[in-house]
Amino acid sequence: MVLTFGRSESADPGERFRPSERDVLITGVGIVSPLGLNTDSTWRGILDHRSAGRILTSADIDFCSQLRDLLRREPGGAPVDHAAIHSALNERLSRSQPGKQVLQQFGFDEINRLTLLCLLNAFDDANLSLRMVRGPRTGCVIGSSKASLRAMEREVCGLKSLSPGPAENWTNAFLPDSSLRAVQALLQAEGPGLSPVAACATGVISAILGASLIHSGACDVCIAGCADASLRASVLASFHRLGVLSSQPEPAQACRPFDKSRDGFIPGEGAGLLVLESRKHLESRRGNSYCRIICGGWETDCTGLTQVDVGGHAVRSLVSNCLNQVRGSDIRIDFASLHGTGTRSNDQAEAEGLKAAVSGRMIECFGIKGATGHLLGAAGSVELAVMAKSLSSGVLPGTVNHCQTADDCPISVTAAPRSVSGLAGGLKLSLGFGGHLAACVLHRES
C-alpha cells in the first residue's frame, strides 16, 4: 500500500503535486545519536565521515563479560551518552512545572529520555515553542520497535531502586506507547496519537502515518518518529545467534554497507523525530521547511521471520509503487537512502530490488549505518532526518566504511560525502524483521 500526499482530486500527474494547503512539510528535525546529542553534531559527524562504533565495556552494557565469552571477542556497539542526555533533559525541563511533572512520570527510563530530548531538538530546529502546538490540532506518531528492555530487566532482575515503582515502571516505561504518552504530556497535545510497532521499519512507517494524519485534515502539526535504546546483552546475544553481527575486531570499521567485505552490523542507540506541518499551518506562522513528503507506503516480504528475499522482488514491488505515484509529474528522485545493514542478504535484496524498480537508471545510493551503527527501530526516522538535511544542503552524506561495491549489489554507492548541484528529491527505504518493508519519497521545496 502506498499513500500519496498530493491533490487526490487531480487525475493529471502534472497537477497532482501542485502546492495545496494540505501538503505535508518537514519543518524541523531532531536527532540524538551516538555521533552527538543534537541534530547539528550528528550531521557534522556524518559529513566528517566518522564512525561512532567502539568496544563496549561494563559501563556501557550489563553482563559484558558473559557477552564477551559468548561472542568470543570484545563486544562492539554505538552507544549514546545516557548520563549527558539525562543532564541535558533535566536542565531543559526542570524550569517549568509541566516539565518537572513529565520528568517525574517518564524521565526515569532511557527510551523516554532519548525521545524527549530529541523532541526539544526538533522544536528548536523548527523554531516552534511547545505552547504553540497545544490542543486538539496536534498529533503524535511515536513508534517503538519494542518496549523498553531496560524497564523489563529492572523488573526481572529485581532492580527496583532504579525506577519509581512496579506500576509506574510498567505503564510509563515498559508499555510500547510510553514514549508517545510522554511526548503528548509535554506538548499537551490532544490530537490523534499512534504508536506503530514494525521492527526496524518503524521510523519510516511512523513518518508516513504522521503525514497521512495531516493530509487527511485530522491535524495541522504532527510529531513523528521513533527512539530505541536496545543496546543490551540479550539483544546482542540474539543477533549473534542469528548471524547478523559483524565479526570485525574494530567496531568503527565493522559495518560496511554494500561492500564486498561486508559481514554484518553493530547495534546502536538513538532517536529521530520529525516536525510535520500542513502548508497552511506553516504559512500562517511564516515558518520554513526542509522538504515535502510526497508519498510513502509499506509491504510485506513473506520469505521468513528473519529472512529476506535476496532477489529483491518485494523491494521492487514497493519501490515501483512509489515511483508510479510520481510518474509524469515534476517530482524528481536523485538519490536513495538505503537501509544498508551490511548483512549479505539485506544489502543484496535492497540492491536487486532497487535496480529492477528503476529499470536500469542508475541513481546515487548511500547508507549511514557505518557511521551511526544500526539504530534498530529508530534507524528509519534518523535516516529521514539526515535526508532532510541532505536535501536542504545539497550534500550526499556518503557511506562510511564502503570501499568496493560487491558484485551482488548492482547499484551506485556514494562512498564519501559530496556536494550535488540541484539536488531535488530522494527515496528512503527501510527493512525490518518480520517482513516489514517501508519506503518514502521526499522532495525539496523550490
Side-chain angles (χ1 to χ4, degrees):
M1 178 179 70
V2 174
L3 304 175
T4 301
F5 309 118
R7 292 175 174 264
S8 57
E9 73 277 7
S10 176
D12 181 359
E15 294 291 312
R16 186 177 302 150
F17 299 107
R18 189 162 53 84
S20 73
E21 63 181 24
R22 287 192 180 179
D23 291 342
V24 184
L25 305 177
I26 297 177
T27 63
V29 298
I31 303 175
V32 178
S33 82
L35 289 171
L37 301 190
N38 57 54
T39 305
D40 288 341
S41 58
T42 297
W43 178 243
R44 286 196 303 271
I46 289 173
L47 294 188
D48 290 343
H49 220 48
R50 288 196 287 114
S51 172
R54 61 175 175 81
I55 298 292
L56 299 176
T57 70
S58 57
D60 302 309
I61 192 167
D62 296 326
F63 310 109
C64 188
S65 61
Q66 294 93 324
L67 187 59
R68 187 183 300 114
D69 292 342
L70 174 67
L71 301 179
R72 296 184 180 180
R73 63 178 183 276
E74 296 291 338
V80 296
D81 188 338
H82 285 287
I85 290 170
H86 199 180
S87 176
L89 195 60
N90 278 334
E91 183 180 349
R92 293 285 300 270
L93 294 187
S94 60
R95 302 171 186 171
S96 68
Q97 189 59 34
K100 289 179 182 178
Q101 291 176 344
V102 169
L103 278 175
Q104 183 177 5
Q105 283 183 281
F106 298 97
F108 62 90
D109 187 76
E110 289 80 358
I111 291 184
N112 292 341
R113 292 200 297 260
L114 272 169
T115 306
L116 290 169
L117 183 60
C118 192
L119 175 72
L120 296 176
N121 290 342
F123 268 64
D124 289 344
D125 191 52
N127 197 26
L128 275 171
S129 70
L130 302 186
R131 292 190 301 273
M132 293 171 68
V133 299
R134 290 175 181 169
R137 298 298 298 170
T138 296
C140 298
V141 184
I142 312 296
S144 170
S145 70
K146 63 191 74 64
S148 172
L149 297 180
R150 295 169 190 254
M152 180 184 69
E153 290 169 0
R154 281 192 281 264
E155 293 300 314
V156 172
C157 300
L159 302 177
K160 309 292 187 183
S161 62
L162 299 182
S163 66
E168 292 84 357
N169 197 27
W170 175 261
T171 58
N172 292 338
F174 184 66
L175 292 182
D177 69 339
S178 298
S179 292
L180 167 67
R181 287 183 287 107
V183 169
Q184 288 175 315
L186 184 61
L187 296 180
Q188 299 180 39
E190 300 170 358
L194 299 171
S195 184
V197 178
C200 299
T202 302
V204 172
I205 288 178
S206 296
I208 296 168
L209 291 173
S212 70
L213 290 176
I214 288 179
H215 190 254
S216 69
C219 55
D220 301 318
V221 179
C222 189
I223 314 306
C226 186
D228 205 305
S230 302
L231 202 58
R232 313 303 294 156
S234 57
V235 173
L236 268 70
S238 299
F239 285 162
H240 169 69
R241 294 195 183 280
L242 285 171
V244 296
L245 292 183
S246 173
S247 60
Q248 297 293 331
E250 175 48 61
Q253 301 170 10
C255 184
R256 305 173 180 183
F258 308 104
D259 195 81
K260 187 175 183 179
S261 63
R262 73 188 190 278
D263 71 339
F265 60 80
I266 60 168
E269 304 175 298
L273 292 180
L274 309 176
V275 178
L276 309 180
E277 294 183 63
S278 68
R279 187 182 298 278
K280 180 180 180 180
H281 185 272
L282 181 66
E283 290 179 349
S284 71
R285 71 177 185 91
R286 298 182 180 179
N288 298 310
S289 69
Y290 281 97
C291 54
R292 177 179 170 188
I293 299 183
I294 297 297
C295 64
W298 54 87
E299 289 193 16
T300 301
D301 180 346
C302 299
T303 303
L305 184 62
T306 59
Q307 295 80 39
V308 296
D309 169 25
V310 294
H313 298 92
V315 172
R316 174 185 181 178
S317 174
L318 177 59
V319 174
S320 295
N321 285 337
C322 286
L323 297 180
N324 287 339
Q325 304 304 312
V326 302
R327 187 165 285 117
S329 72
D330 59 357
I331 301 300
R332 195 176 81 233
I333 297 176
D334 299 315
F335 67 89
S337 169
L338 300 183
H339 196 54
T341 62
T343 60
R344 289 284 169 185
S345 57
N346 176 98
D347 290 8
Q348 183 179 353
E350 281 195 278
E352 292 286 1
L354 182 64
K355 178 188 177 184
V358 299
S359 303
R361 177 191 167 208
M362 196 65 76
I363 63 174
E364 299 276 1
C365 301
F366 66 85
I368 68 168
K369 289 181 175 63
T372 63
H374 190 345
L375 304 187
L376 307 179
S381 49
V382 168
E383 289 160 11
L384 279 173
V386 169
M387 278 185 70
K389 295 288 287 185
S390 183
L391 284 169
S392 67
S393 64
V395 178
L396 293 180
T399 307
V400 171
N401 296 327
H402 183 87
C403 295
Q404 183 178 358
T405 304
D407 293 339
D408 59 357
C409 296
I411 54 174
S412 175
V413 180
T414 302
R418 70 183 188 88
S419 297
V420 179
S421 177
L423 207 59
L427 171 80
K428 175 75 198 97
L429 187 62
S430 283
L431 282 68
F433 284 159
H436 300 286
L437 300 178
C440 187
V441 173
L442 306 184
H443 204 264
R444 182 172 57 84
E445 292 281 279
S446 58

